[in-house]
Amino acid sequence: MDALSLAGLLTAISLLVSLIVWLPLASRTRIRRTEVYLSGEPQAHFSISIAEASWAVRRVLERLYSTLLNHVQTGVFNDWFALSLPYLLLLLVLLAVATYRGGV
Amino acid sequence: MEPLSAVGGVLLTVLVFPGLVFLVLLGLLSQWYRRKLAARLQNRVGPKYVGPFGVLQPFADVYKLLFVKELVTGPYTPARAITYVMSLGVAAIATSVLLLPLSPFSIGAEYDILVFIYLTLYASIAFALVGLGSVSPYPGLGGIRYTTLMLAFEPAIALSLIAAVRALAPRSLSLRDALGQPEILAPGDPYRMTVQVLVLITAGVSLSIAVLAKSMLKPFDIPEAETEVAGGYLAELSGPALGLGILLHEVEIALYVLVLSNLVIPIPPAAPDPLNILASLAKYVVVLTILVVVAYSMGRVRLDQALRLLLRIPLPLSVLSLALSFFV
């Protein structure tokens, strides 16, 4: 069996086992819905923006972030997708090198 | 082998040993051991009241959450989807043990280490989804923290695992071969043995730190700290959803420590006979003890400090171990 077939087989087994775990639990779970408790504050005061989400990455990888922001990005979202394709290809090449066993 | 008995064997492996039931038992017993050891290090008593020496406390906690408590949730929160995502994480971890040579029905293939990495990613994705999918900002912050750290610990884990498997099974790159029939300690080839040991040490250190981060243990465990409890991805969960979250967390730690301990101490190899299983468990206890003692001797770090630590130590070490593994 090759790795791809094995991944497919194990994914199918995972889905089956997840139903075995989930169905008996879901059938007996009682759900009660409440308001979100935010220390007494209105929910509008609490929102997380993408900029807040990436604060640690920006702080640690400041030079990379500023290069991306000032020299690479165009402001068009679709360009990020186009930019990501060569990086995905690079990732696949790195994976191929990491698992290279010699020979052709 | 008859096809029906093979299917039965695979199901038995995934559901009972060394799959779901075994991993849940091992994970919860490890949680008790971790809490007891951490308590001793901090001059506390630790779990005490349920069962002898409090050993049944984690079982009682999870049983109560799963079967007694109700699931309290906010508006717009997909409670059933959250429990399913975590069930899928537990199932993926339980299925990935089919790649370990602890059962006669284990399955292997060339490059199956990539399949193992793929399957175990489900647990991380489940935690990130649960945090980011909540309406409340508190689990959202926890989810952000987790996904930020994922940027650094997942590549380190993947590269260290590939490097260790390259060192032990260079011909097949199979996790099952690396754990079950490791090509190590060739007596006539001291050069190769030295390189293998170096790869295992660097990959082992890198994997240990990355596993601590993935498991959100100290020093990466801000959500565990009382004053910062708002930062945890499980903050808004209750009842069965929280029980499944705890279960997923514990089986994930159990699986990674089992694989880590058998990779860095490849002798005796893992095999489905009682003596080898006992040896694998002994290695597990040794590595878990080292991880807990190291982890609980440290203070907590901030998110950016944690990311910097992961980018400075385990990631370069994993790249180094991978580079060294080409010389085996």
Side-chain angles (χ1 to χ4, degrees):
Chain A
M1 189 184 289
D2 63 291
L4 207 58
S5 316
L6 185 64
L9 174 69
L10 295 191
T11 306
I13 295 175
S14 293
L15 290 171
L16 179 71
V17 176
S18 70
L19 289 178
I20 294 174
V21 174
W22 181 69
L23 283 176
L25 208 61
S27 63
R28 57 183 297 165
T29 299
R30 290 167 290 128
I31 298 179
R32 177 161 62 88
R33 293 198 183 274
T34 62
E35 290 300 308
V36 177
Y37 179 70
L38 296 172
S39 313
E41 298 291 328
Q43 196 170 335
H45 291 184
F46 290 86
S47 63
I48 303 166
S49 71
I50 296 292
E52 285 164 22
S54 62
W55 74 268
V57 179
R58 273 183 293 144
R59 181 177 287 190
V60 176
L61 304 172
E62 201 176 353
R63 202 178 297 168
L64 176 66
Y65 181 78
S66 58
T67 306
L68 280 174
L69 191 69
N70 300 325
H71 303 290
V72 178
Q73 68 106 10
T74 58
V76 181
F77 186 75
N78 286 0
D79 288 352
W80 282 111
F81 177 70
L83 184 70
S84 73
L85 293 179
Y87 284 100
L88 279 177
L89 191 64
L90 182 68
L91 196 68
L92 286 177
V93 170
L94 286 177
L95 196 64
V97 171
T99 54
Y100 179 66
R101 293 181 300 175
V104 180
Chain B
M1 193 182 296
E2 295 283 325
L4 265 181
S5 65
V7 170
V10 165
L11 280 179
L12 199 70
T13 302
V14 173
L15 292 176
V16 184
F17 182 85
L20 193 61
V21 173
F22 173 74
L23 276 181
V24 167
L25 284 175
L26 187 65
L28 293 179
L29 282 174
S30 304
Q31 191 207 69
W32 168 81
Y33 180 66
R34 196 174 75 232
R35 286 167 64 181
K36 205 75 181 168
L37 193 56
R40 290 290 180 217
L41 290 170
Q42 295 165 349
N43 209 13
R44 296 184 287 112
V45 178
K48 184 181 175 186
Y49 294 107
V50 188
F53 306 105
V55 72
L56 296 178
Q57 187 65 55
F59 294 88
D61 293 344
V62 168
Y63 177 82
K64 189 176 78 176
L65 286 169
L66 285 181
F67 301 112
V68 181
K69 293 281 185 181
E70 62 183 5
L71 202 167
V72 182
T73 181
Y76 319 116
T77 305
R80 299 235 184 255
I82 284 178
T83 50
Y84 181 70
V85 163
M86 283 196 288
S87 303
L88 187 58
V90 173
I93 295 276
T95 308
S96 64
V97 299
L98 269 175
L99 299 171
L100 311 184
L102 291 173
S103 153
F105 296 95
S106 65
I107 306 174
E110 290 190 338
Y111 297 104
D112 68 14
I113 182 62
L114 299 178
V115 181
F116 179 81
I117 293 167
Y118 151 73
L119 273 179
T120 49
L121 259 178
Y122 272 85
S124 297
I125 292 170
F127 281 137
L129 280 180
V130 166
L132 298 174
S134 172
V135 179
S136 170
Y138 297 144
L141 287 172
I144 286 167
R145 182 182 168 80
Y146 192 75
T147 42
T148 303
L149 291 183
M150 262 176 86
L151 290 175
F153 67 66
E154 287 296 353
I157 288 177
L159 293 181
S160 315
L161 282 174
I162 293 174
V165 169
R166 281 190 70 94
L168 296 174
R171 276 193 283 270
S172 64
L173 292 185
S174 158
L175 183 64
R176 190 172 71 155
D177 292 351
L179 296 176
Q181 300 153 348
E183 294 176 27
I184 194 160
L185 298 180
D189 198 348
Y191 163 76
R192 188 175 179 218
M193 206 176 82
T194 312
V195 177
Q196 277 177 321
V197 170
L198 280 176
V199 171
L200 291 183
I201 290 172
T202 47
V205 172
S206 159
L207 200 53
S208 305
I209 301 173
V211 165
L212 287 181
K214 188 173 173 117
S215 320
M216 286 277 162
L217 294 176
K218 269 179 191 282
F220 306 99
D221 67 334
I222 287 293
E224 250 188 45
E226 269 179 49
T227 46
E228 295 104 336
V229 76
Y233 43 80
L234 301 177
E236 292 282 350
L237 298 184
S238 62
L242 181 59
L244 272 173
I246 293 171
L247 214 53
L248 176 55
H249 185 237
E250 298 308 331
V251 295
E252 188 189 29
I253 296 177
L255 177 74
Y256 267 104
V257 177
L258 197 62
V259 171
L260 168 67
S261 56
N262 280 286
L263 275 177
V264 294
I265 315 172
I267 296 169
D273 63 273
L275 272 181
N276 285 56
I277 289 170
L278 276 179
S280 291
L281 288 177
K283 290 188 254 181
Y284 175 90
V285 174
V286 170
V287 171
L288 183 68
T289 307
I290 294 171
L291 283 183
V292 172
V293 170
V294 170
Y296 281 84
S297 313
M298 293 184 184
R300 296 185 174 92
V301 289
R302 233 177 25 228
L303 178 56
D304 58 322
Q305 294 168 331
L307 186 61
R308 196 169 279 129
L309 176 77
L310 287 171
L311 289 174
R312 280 188 182 163
I313 303 175
L315 200 57
L317 267 182
S318 64
V319 174
L320 176 69
S321 64
L322 185 63
L324 281 173
S325 71
F326 281 89
F327 297 97
V328 172

